[in-house]
Amino acid sequence: MSTKLKKDPVGIDDLEEYLDEASDFSFELRILKMLTEMGISCEHGGQYRDPDTKKYREFDLRVGLTQGAATFVAAIECKSIGLHFPLLVSCVHRTASEAFHQVFFHTKNKDPYQNTPYYIPTMQLPSAMQGMRVGTSALYPKGEPVGKSTAQVGRYANKDDLHVNDAEFFDKWSQALQSLDDLVDRISDNELVDIVGSKKPHWAMALPIVVIPDGTLWTVNYSDNGSKEGPPAQVDRASIFIGREYRGIMPGGSYTVSHLEVMTEKGLAAFFQNYLIRENALLNLARGR
């Protein structure tokens, strides 16, 4: 049964309450300001074509960062959830098959195996690379907690029952994955190296990210036999395994995004500072060092 709205006019106090407490737009502007002040190039509020529905949708933020021989792009969606309805991510230990990320590796070598210790798929395309698996990922080490299930948890105002829902978060999750599609396309082609003005070889990677306010992200860890390994803990970053394959870059080409990142505002700032901005951090991350 749908909930009926009051017929009382909505006034300035109601609108101010929404803007102060529940506006995704004001939250994404805050994230935009933070990233811009960190020197990150951002696109804000443009459109993309959903690769599944073929309809046009609006993204929150897209970021791009190039440092020498490495490029990073991300589709960032912002969701302003409250402390009364936080997100809980249920985690298990990451298996060896999940402990990786992929990159595009652009090289002038006719033989892409030359002078590289990293695994590269046998089929190489003339102008668009296959995703290359980096199995020594600093982001996703084997055995660390990885998310498998999400839920927002709250209590009803007029009864003691819990209210559990993941629909709104899943919508943001889906938007980040769909928005990433043409960003993957951008970094797949060898022309990227000419655009960013860097010498080959060049490494490029893409991530989907959902950002929520500080204090609203929790995780709980489970052992392999299904028992909890402790109480839920408040965190600033949680990685969820998705293993989503992006196709259509070139005939036969593909790129697998292993994880979706969920971060708080503080977690996002720390992630960029620790993994992307410091000298050589991005290249080392892409190469799995």
Side-chain angles (χ1 to χ4, degrees):
M1 180 182 297
S2 61
T3 302
K4 292 184 178 180
L5 297 177
K6 293 181 178 180
K7 294 186 178 181
D8 300 338
V10 170
I12 189 170
D13 291 342
D14 303 299
L15 297 177
E16 289 286 5
E17 179 182 349
Y18 160 73
L19 293 173
D20 291 340
E21 299 181 8
S23 172
D24 286 345
F25 184 69
S26 61
F27 181 53
E28 72 188 57
L29 286 177
R30 194 163 77 236
I31 300 300
L32 173 63
K33 182 175 183 292
M34 180 187 74
L35 292 175
T36 301
E37 290 177 347
M38 295 175 71
I40 307 299
S41 175
C42 300
E43 298 177 58
H44 176 231
Q47 286 193 332
Y48 67 95
R49 192 181 187 192
D50 188 307
D52 294 333
T53 66
K54 308 305 179 185
K55 296 180 179 179
Y56 284 94
R57 304 181 72 180
E58 187 175 272
F59 63 80
D60 289 349
L61 298 170
R62 288 174 167 184
V63 303
L65 176 66
T66 294
Q67 288 182 342
T71 292
F72 172 85
V73 295
I76 300 178
E77 292 294 316
C78 304
K79 183 63 180 174
S80 183
I81 64 178
L83 296 174
H84 65 289
F85 200 34
L87 180 70
L88 176 66
V89 180
S90 297
C91 304
V92 296
H93 295 282
R94 185 179 289 110
T95 65
S97 64
E98 298 167 341
F100 74 95
H101 68 262
Q102 283 202 348
V103 297
F104 288 115
F105 179 59
H106 304 278
T107 177
K108 290 181 179 179
N109 295 333
K110 292 183 179 179
D111 179 4
Y113 292 91
Q114 182 178 348
N115 298 325
T116 176
Y118 304 100
Y119 168 73
I120 301 178
T122 56
M123 181 173 63
Q124 298 297 330
L125 304 177
S127 61
M129 303 293 290
Q130 286 275 37
M132 183 181 90
R133 182 181 175 122
V134 177
T136 54
S137 175
L139 289 178
Y140 311 120
K142 177 184 175 182
E144 292 296 311
V146 60
K148 294 289 184 172
S149 177
T150 63
Q152 281 185 256
V153 182
R155 285 198 179 275
Y156 288 102
N158 299 321
K159 53 184 178 180
D160 293 332
D161 294 348
L162 288 172
H163 173 50
V164 180
N165 190 307
D166 70 347
E168 291 186 7
F169 175 75
F170 184 76
D171 184 58
K172 281 295 183 182
W173 168 340
S174 299
Q175 287 183 52
L177 296 182
Q178 306 295 51
S179 176
L180 195 70
D181 184 75
D182 56 331
L183 290 183
V184 170
D185 197 10
R186 289 184 196 179
I187 65 170
S188 69
D189 198 283
N190 281 323
E191 292 181 358
L192 166 77
V193 182
D194 298 323
I195 294 171
V196 300
S198 180
K199 296 180 180 180
K200 295 181 180 179
H202 193 92
W203 307 72
M205 63 181 296
L207 281 182
I209 300 173
V210 178
V211 185
I212 57 180
D214 293 339
T216 64
L217 180 59
W218 295 74
T219 58
V220 59
N221 298 331
Y222 287 85
S223 66
D224 294 339
N225 64 16
S227 60
K228 284 193 304 178
E229 295 186 330
Q234 202 171 75
V235 298
D236 286 317
R237 174 182 167 227
S239 303
I240 300 171
F241 184 78
I242 51 171
R244 177 176 173 123
E245 187 175 37
Y246 290 81
R247 290 188 173 273
I249 304 162
M250 287 286 286
S254 67
Y255 179 91
T256 298
V257 173
S258 58
H259 293 72
L260 169 83
E261 291 286 346
V262 185
M263 305 179 192
T264 64
E265 190 171 353
K266 289 180 181 177
L268 183 67
F271 179 83
F272 272 81
Q273 189 63 48
N274 294 334
Y275 289 104
L276 304 175
I277 294 178
R278 288 185 295 107
E279 185 178 3
N280 296 323
L282 176 54
L283 181 60
N284 290 336
L285 174 64
R287 297 177 66 175
R289 291 186 171 181

